[in-house]
């Protein structure tokens, strides 16, 4: 270190030996460049984690915590870790773990270290990554706290278990804890905020605060970003860190996500799990874009951003202190924007599950697909908005009672006959919008019929019903055979 610091152009004031090596003291100015160089050299690796408890679906709040940790890690070329906090054995299930992993993967938040998404085995040098497999580690540190007197057996905790006692951490009188929160600035947690707290239940199972502090220290977590409701836990964890002689990570407590009534977002506000949005036809790109903006803003106030852009622009300085409202309408708008940005191929693939569910059978030729998407996607907000494709499927064509009423009008038979003759004469595979317009004109002139007596029978000849789809956009998507087959059904 001494040699590294050597700057021959600065006058040397003194030097000496310490256990860690030689120290030097220079006088004179140190440039900003020197400081940055030093900081970069001395900076610890950025290691952040998302540590869900697998007790249900991935909530949008959890997704945001995961996202900020991910964005920070990627922006800083650090490591993003997935640790599973499953010591609450009654509520933790493997099914929940798999669901949460699936949602994180769907969002595109891949982790560098932690449980393997497929096998759930450990992947990395700091495992096990599931707390339920780290009990021997917690036992060791619990013993250490008991030995040093920082923790004690509490026989009163569980009368039913008789001899078995819980272990409590002893909160010594101490100064208030003031630290520089990465989101909130200077935060003071009054020392009296917490009393002696359980670290090991009488069942022998360790408790969140204890496991979390031990793991963050052993896994060399440098920054902890989590919801603000963990502030009092941070005080408990700080005490555990200090009692075990660990260095503290930096903390950032994220502001609340609020519902439309500005109360903490909860199920009564509507969908709160990522899975619900996935099922409702939202794109992961849109959901994560939206969630990122619940508590962070881009330097240029852009709204529509890809994950790649978010990684590039993400900075802690732009995390907001105040709670952000989860505005469903905005999310929908954002989804529509992302949906329009997808390539035809990509969008078509993503629409398949909805088509399948609706039992729709549609043409597969790329030119047709591109034409259909250009026509319909401007009005789509989610991948579920496929109703405009329905009239394209020939098997959906049915003459409704209202359609039959229109066909019973005096002028309808001659309008249908002229429509049919014009389509028969048409030589192309598809009518474009312009040809459709000129055919309508020809029918109008040859039959001497105008207004609704002209348009309604044609509409029924195309969709079987006098109201609904905009024919100007629909007709160019139906080939000549399809148009003929439909009008024939009306002539029967
Ligand atoms: N398992 C905790 C939770 O899901 C993690 C809190 C933390 O990040 O420390 O809330």
């Amino acid at each position: 270190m001494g040699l590294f610091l050597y700057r021959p152009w600065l006058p040397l004031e003194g030097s000496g030996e310490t256990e860690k090596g030689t120290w030097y003291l220079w006088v004179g100015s140190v440039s900003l460049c020197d400081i940055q160089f030093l900081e970069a050299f001395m900076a610890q690796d950025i290691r952040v984690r998302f540590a869900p408890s697998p007790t249900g679906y991935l909530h949008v709040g959890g997704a945001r915590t995961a996202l900020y940790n991910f964005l920070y890690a990627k922006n800083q070329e650090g490591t993003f870790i997935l640790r599973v906090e499953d010591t609450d054995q009654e509520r933790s299930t493997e099914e929940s773990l798999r669901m949460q992993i699936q949602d994180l993967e769907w969002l595109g938040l891949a982790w560098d270290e932690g449980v393997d998404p497929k096998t759930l085995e450990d992947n990395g040098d700091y495992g096990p990554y599931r707390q339920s497999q780290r009990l021997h580690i917690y036992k060791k540190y619990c013993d250490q706290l008991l030995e040093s007197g920082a923790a004690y057996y509490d026989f009163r905790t569980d009368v039913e278990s008789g001899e078995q006692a819980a272990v409590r951490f002893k909160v010594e009188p101490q100064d208030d804890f003031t630290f520089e929160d990465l989101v909130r600035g200077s935060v003071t947690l009054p020392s009296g905020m917490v009393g002696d707290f359980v670290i090991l239940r009488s069942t022998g199972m360790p408790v969140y605060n204890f496991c979390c502090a031990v793991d963050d220290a052993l896994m060399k977590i440098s920054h902890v970003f989590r919801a603000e409701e963990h502030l009092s836990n941070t005080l408990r964890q700080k005490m555990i860190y200090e009692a075990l002689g660990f260095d503290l990570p930096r903390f950032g407590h994220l502001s609340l996500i609020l519902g439309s009534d500005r109360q903490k977002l909860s199920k009564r506000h509507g969908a709160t799990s990522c899975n619900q949005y996935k099922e409702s036809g939202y794109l992961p790109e849109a959901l994560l874009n939206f969630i990122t903006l619940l508590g962070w803003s881009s330097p240029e106030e852009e709204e529509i951003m890809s994950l790649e852009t978010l990684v590039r622009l993400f900075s802690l300085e732009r995390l907001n202190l105040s709670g952000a409202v989860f505005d469903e309408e905005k999310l929908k708008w954002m989804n529509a924007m992302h949906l329009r940005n997808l390539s035809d191929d990509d969008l078509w693939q993503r629409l398949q599950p909805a088509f399948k569910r609706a039992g729709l059978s549609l043409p597969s030729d790329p030119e047709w697909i591109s034409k259909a998407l250009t026509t319909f996607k401007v009005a789509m907000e989610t991948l579920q908005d496929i109703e405009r494709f329905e009239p394209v499927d020939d098997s959906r064509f049915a003459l409704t009672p209202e359609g039959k009423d229109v066909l019973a009008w005096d002028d309808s038979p001659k309008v249908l006959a002229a429509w049919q003759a014009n389509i028969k004469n048409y030589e192309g595979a598809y009518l474009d919008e312009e040809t459709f317009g000129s055919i309508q004109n020809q029918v109008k002139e040859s039959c001497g019929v105008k207004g609704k007596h002209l348009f309604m029978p044609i509409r029924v000849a195309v969709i079987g019903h006098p109201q609904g789809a905009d024919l100007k956009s629909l007709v160019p998507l139906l080939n000549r055979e399809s148009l003929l087959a439909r009008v024939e059904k009306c002539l029967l």
Side-chain angles (χ1 to χ4, degrees):
M1 185 58 97
L3 265 184
F4 160 73
L5 278 173
Y6 180 63
R7 287 284 201 274
W9 58 91
L10 290 174
L12 189 64
E13 187 84 330
S15 65
E17 290 293 325
T18 71
E19 264 175 42
K20 288 191 175 168
T22 316
W23 60 267
Y24 298 88
L25 181 66
W26 286 276
V27 289
S29 61
V30 178
S31 72
L32 183 63
C33 171
D34 287 334
I35 293 172
Q36 283 174 355
F37 182 53
L38 273 175
E39 275 187 356
F41 182 81
M42 292 164 73
Q44 66 191 126
D45 289 341
I46 304 276
R47 290 174 58 80
V48 295
R49 85 306 194 270
F50 177 52
S53 303
T55 55
Y57 285 111
L58 180 67
H59 185 269
V60 290
R64 189 187 59 166
T65 303
L67 197 47
Y68 287 171
N69 279 289
F70 172 89
L71 292 175
Y72 187 59
K74 297 296 135 183
N75 178 274
Q76 297 289 310
E77 292 174 18
T79 306
F80 177 51
I81 297 153
L82 181 77
R83 180 173 80 223
V84 181
E85 303 209 323
D86 58 351
T87 54
D88 182 348
Q89 287 183 314
E90 271 158 39
R91 296 175 60 226
S92 305
T93 64
E94 187 145 320
E95 194 194 348
S96 293
L97 175 56
R98 291 219 181 255
M99 286 183 325
Q100 295 209 12
I101 284 181
Q102 232 175 42
D103 289 343
L104 289 169
E105 287 201 300
W106 175 70
L107 285 170
L109 306 182
W111 45 100
D112 308 296
E113 205 179 296
V115 292
D116 182 275
K118 300 227 158 32
T119 61
L120 304 186
E121 313 234 302
D122 293 326
N123 180 13
D125 296 337
Y126 295 84
Y129 293 94
R130 290 170 79 166
Q131 291 186 331
S132 57
Q133 294 170 2
R134 298 173 63 81
L135 302 182
H136 57 289
I137 300 173
Y138 307 129
K139 166 100 181 48
K140 177 179 143 198
Y141 286 99
C142 183
D143 288 348
Q144 195 174 315
L145 291 176
L146 284 166
E147 263 162 44
S148 69
Y152 60 92
Y153 285 108
D154 181 357
F155 289 94
R156 293 162 309 164
T157 308
D158 195 344
V159 265
E160 283 168 24
S161 321
E163 282 304 291
Q164 289 222 322
V167 176
R168 266 183 200 272
F169 186 88
K170 193 166 159 205
V171 176
E172 301 286 359
Q174 56 192 283
D175 293 341
D176 295 345
F177 173 39
T178 299
F179 67 101
E180 213 36 44
D181 187 285
L182 294 163
V183 182
R184 325 182 85 73
S186 176
V187 169
T188 298
L189 301 173
S191 59
M193 201 173 162
V194 299
D196 293 3
F197 55 92
V198 173
I199 56 172
L200 202 76
R201 292 190 189 92
S202 54
T203 55
M205 237 11 204
V207 173
Y208 158 72
N209 274 303
F210 179 53
C211 304
C212 182
V214 168
D215 290 351
D216 283 342
L218 297 184
M219 294 180 183
K220 296 203 165 57
I221 299 302
S222 60
H223 296 71
V224 170
F225 297 103
R226 61 183 169 207
E228 68 174 22
E229 63 210 18
H230 284 291
L231 269 167
S232 64
N233 289 330
T234 298
L235 180 58
R236 294 187 182 93
Q237 292 172 23
K238 172 244 181 195
M239 295 174 186
I240 296 170
Y241 268 96
E242 287 177 348
L244 290 172
F246 293 138
D247 290 337
L248 259 69
R250 309 268 333 250
F251 293 100
H253 292 89
L254 310 171
S255 50
L256 285 179
I257 301 181
L258 309 173
S260 47
D261 55 359
R262 302 200 67 84
Q263 299 300 308
K264 186 180 171 200
L265 185 72
S266 71
K267 280 190 189 138
R268 74 194 155 82
H269 291 106
T272 53
S273 76
C274 292
N275 185 58
Q276 279 168 297
Y277 286 100
K278 178 173 153 190
E279 295 294 311
S280 313
Y282 284 83
L283 305 176
E285 293 93 327
L287 189 60
L288 62 83
N289 185 168
F290 175 76
I291 290 178
T292 306
L293 294 179
L294 294 174
W296 180 84
S297 59
S298 93
E300 250 124 66
E301 304 284 328
E302 287 151 87
E303 297 237 82
I304 305 298
M305 288 167 280
S306 65
L307 185 56
E308 212 178 15
T309 305
L310 291 170
V311 164
R312 185 167 48 78
L313 297 179
F314 190 77
S315 66
L316 301 181
E317 294 77 54
R318 300 197 64 85
L319 284 171
N320 305 329
L321 194 54
S322 50
V325 175
F326 192 97
D327 177 351
E328 295 248 5
E329 284 310 307
K330 183 163 178 193
L331 169 58
K332 216 172 228 183
W333 167 79
M334 222 170 235
N335 204 59
M337 294 299 127
H338 276 276
L339 198 138
R340 274 172 228 180
N341 284 343
L342 296 179
S343 69
D344 287 347
D345 240 17
D346 192 356
L347 177 55
W348 194 247
Q349 285 313 315
R350 298 202 210 197
L351 286 169
Q352 293 313 307
F355 289 152
K356 203 165 166 202
R357 220 170 301 135
L360 277 185
S361 115
L362 299 167
S364 57
D365 108 75
E367 217 171 294
W368 184 89
I369 290 172
S370 166
K371 191 160 66 168
L373 289 178
T374 308
T375 310
F376 293 149
K377 81 175 167 187
V378 283
M380 289 173 74
E381 287 184 313
T382 74
L383 296 173
Q384 299 292 339
D385 294 337
I386 54 159
E387 64 282 358
R388 300 229 284 162
F389 288 91
E390 280 177 16
V392 176
D393 183 346
D394 286 337
S395 67
R396 296 288 165 109
F397 181 85
L399 201 49
T400 65
E402 294 87 342
K404 284 182 186 158
D405 289 347
V406 169
L407 295 184
W409 294 348
D410 288 349
D411 290 330
S412 293
K414 63 179 175 188
V415 171
L416 283 201
W419 165 255
Q420 185 186 35
N422 271 284
I423 306 289
K424 268 193 184 151
N425 285 341
Y426 182 68
E427 282 172 3
Y430 287 91
L431 274 60
D432 57 19
E433 199 182 316
E434 207 180 306
T435 323
F436 173 54
S438 62
I439 289 184
Q440 274 182 311
N441 274 335
Q442 280 175 30
V443 174
K444 176 179 165 186
E445 271 155 33
S446 63
C447 301
V449 177
K450 58 183 184 188
K452 79 172 194 186
H453 290 271
L454 170 73
F455 297 119
M456 291 285 209
I458 293 179
R459 177 172 282 279
V460 174
V462 178
I463 58 168
H465 190 72
Q467 273 102 39
D470 166 29
L471 289 200
K472 279 206 304 298
S473 52
L474 178 64
V475 168
L477 295 171
L478 300 172
N479 64 22
R480 187 175 165 274
E481 284 66 42
S482 166
L483 288 171
L484 286 175
R486 291 172 188 223
V487 67
E488 262 157 37
K489 284 191 182 149
C490 296
L491 290 168
L492 287 179

